[in-house]
Amino acid sequence: MNSANTYRDGILQDRADENRQLRREAARALELIERGDVEQAKTLLRRISCNATQQ
């Protein structure tokens, strides 16, 4: 495998990891909303949003 493919595969793995983390955080926000803890869910969603815009 050449270095370009290795680099690309690393980038793709990083993106996949970030997507998994985002899905976990979104699921957590949904759980909070379902429990009625809307304020904590909003805080979590704001943090997710800020992290996404910084990347």
Side-chain angles (χ1 to χ4, degrees), residues 30-46:
L30 177 59
E31 290 172 6
L32 290 167
I33 291 167
E34 288 174 339
R35 285 194 338 226
D37 195 350
V38 175
E39 290 305 313
Q40 190 172 350
K42 286 170 34 177
T43 299
L44 176 58
L45 291 169
R46 283 187 190 104

Side-chain angles (χ1 to χ4, degrees), residues 2-25:
N2 69 35
S3 63
N5 286 341
T6 301
Y7 176 76
R8 185 195 73 227
D9 291 346
I11 296 293
L12 291 174
Q13 184 61 49
D14 288 347
R15 292 294 303 270
D17 293 342
E18 290 170 6
N19 287 338
R20 277 190 289 279
Q21 179 65 27
L22 181 60
R23 286 193 306 270
R24 281 191 295 270
E25 291 174 336

